């Protein structure tokens, strides 16, 4: 099964024209978030809606296979990020937000998933949540990092926001 997954991923990366990589960047490194994946996808799918929809379908198939076979969490997180970015480019912001929340469930330490989520909220018209998230980013990041709960969702995000003194 591992060989089949590796083959599918290689075929998919050849189709995309670039390697699917996501660097996990904790806040403590004081580095910018990783925009490479989004940048490459934006170039590839600019004004190509049909191709974008086909790629979303292929990504979901691979992601489901990765989850079903209980692959390494980092690769599953990477594919959730990929799918979230594809949804974002396709203006399917609710789906994108869900994917970025899955990333934060898998990896509490990556700032890229936070940035992707916050900008998705802005595109959804949730400007107050976006502003609270951006202006209190370090506090929110640390609250989630230290939270004993393992599932990040909209309810958890709102609970974290309420914990911040505004």
């Amino acid at each position: 099964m591992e060989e089949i997954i590796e083959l599918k991923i290689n075929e998919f990366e050849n189709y995309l024209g670039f390697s699917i990589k996501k660097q996990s960047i904790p806040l403590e490194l004081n580095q910018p978030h990783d925009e490479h994946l989004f940048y490459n996808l934006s170039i590839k799918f600019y004004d190509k809606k049909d191709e974008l929809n086909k790629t979303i379908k292929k990504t979901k198939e691979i992601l489901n296979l990765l989850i079903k076979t209980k692959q390494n969490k980092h690769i599953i997180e990477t594919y959730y990020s990929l799918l979230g970015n594809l949804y974002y480019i396709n203006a399917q912001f609710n789906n994108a937000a869900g994917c970025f929340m899955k990333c934060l469930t898998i990896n509490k330490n990556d700032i890229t998933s936070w940035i992707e989520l916050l900008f998705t909220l802005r595109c959804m018209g949730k400007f107050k949540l976006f502003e609270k998230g951006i202006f209190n980013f370090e506090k929110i990041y640390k609250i989630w990092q230290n939270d004993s709960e393992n599932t990040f969702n909209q309810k958890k995000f709102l609970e974290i926001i309420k914990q911040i003194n505004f």
Side-chain angles (χ1 to χ4, degrees):
M1 187 56 107
E2 298 249 346
E3 293 171 358
I4 294 170
I5 293 171
E6 190 174 326
L7 180 64
K8 284 188 174 285
I9 289 173
N10 287 336
E11 288 174 356
F12 189 59
E13 287 181 344
N14 286 335
Y15 161 74
L16 287 175
F18 56 87
S19 179
I20 302 165
K21 302 261 189 263
K22 183 175 187 255
Q23 180 183 2
S24 183
I25 303 172
L27 184 66
E28 296 76 26
L29 285 182
N30 201 27
Q31 292 180 0
H33 73 283
D34 185 2
E35 291 186 26
H36 292 97
L37 184 60
F38 182 76
Y39 180 76
N40 286 330
L41 292 171
S42 296
I43 291 170
K44 170 88 176 163
F45 296 108
Y46 179 76
D47 205 24
K48 297 177 184 169
K49 187 119 175 136
D50 290 340
E51 191 174 341
L52 178 58
N53 286 323
K54 288 177 189 173
T55 304
I56 289 171
K57 184 178 177 186
K58 287 181 185 182
T59 304
K60 287 168 55 175
E61 289 170 3
I62 292 173
L63 182 56
N64 288 333
L65 185 60
L66 293 170
I67 292 167
K68 181 180 174 183
T69 58
K70 300 181 188 218
Q71 294 296 308
N72 163 313
K73 285 186 176 189
H74 178 72
I75 194 162
I76 293 172
E77 176 197 359
T78 299
Y79 270 80
Y80 270 121
S81 181
L82 169 64
L83 185 58
N85 279 290
L86 290 167
Y87 281 138
Y88 185 97
I89 292 166
N90 207 26
Q92 293 176 282
F93 301 118
N94 284 331
N95 292 340
C99 288
F100 299 137
M101 287 183 193
K102 294 263 189 196
C103 289
L104 289 166
T105 294
I106 295 168
N107 181 357
K108 291 184 171 193
N109 299 316
D110 186 29
I111 63 170
T112 301
S113 298
W114 275 109
I115 300 299
E116 291 170 334
L117 174 60
L118 291 171
F119 278 91
T120 300
L121 291 172
R122 182 185 61 117
C123 289
M124 294 169 72
K126 298 184 179 205
F127 301 115
K128 289 188 184 216
L129 283 177
F130 168 74
E131 288 175 0
K132 288 177 182 180
I134 287 293
F135 294 124
N136 297 282
F137 181 74
E138 288 184 34
K139 290 178 187 176
I140 291 169
Y141 173 89
K142 288 181 182 183
I143 289 170
W144 176 236
Q145 198 176 33
N146 295 317
D147 196 297
S148 61
E149 194 160 323
N150 293 324
T151 302
F152 191 83
N153 54 32
Q154 185 177 2
K155 180 182 174 190
K156 177 50 77 175
F157 183 63
L158 294 173
E159 286 175 15
I160 291 172
I161 291 288
K162 287 179 184 176
Q163 290 180 43
I164 310 279
N165 292 327
F166 293 104

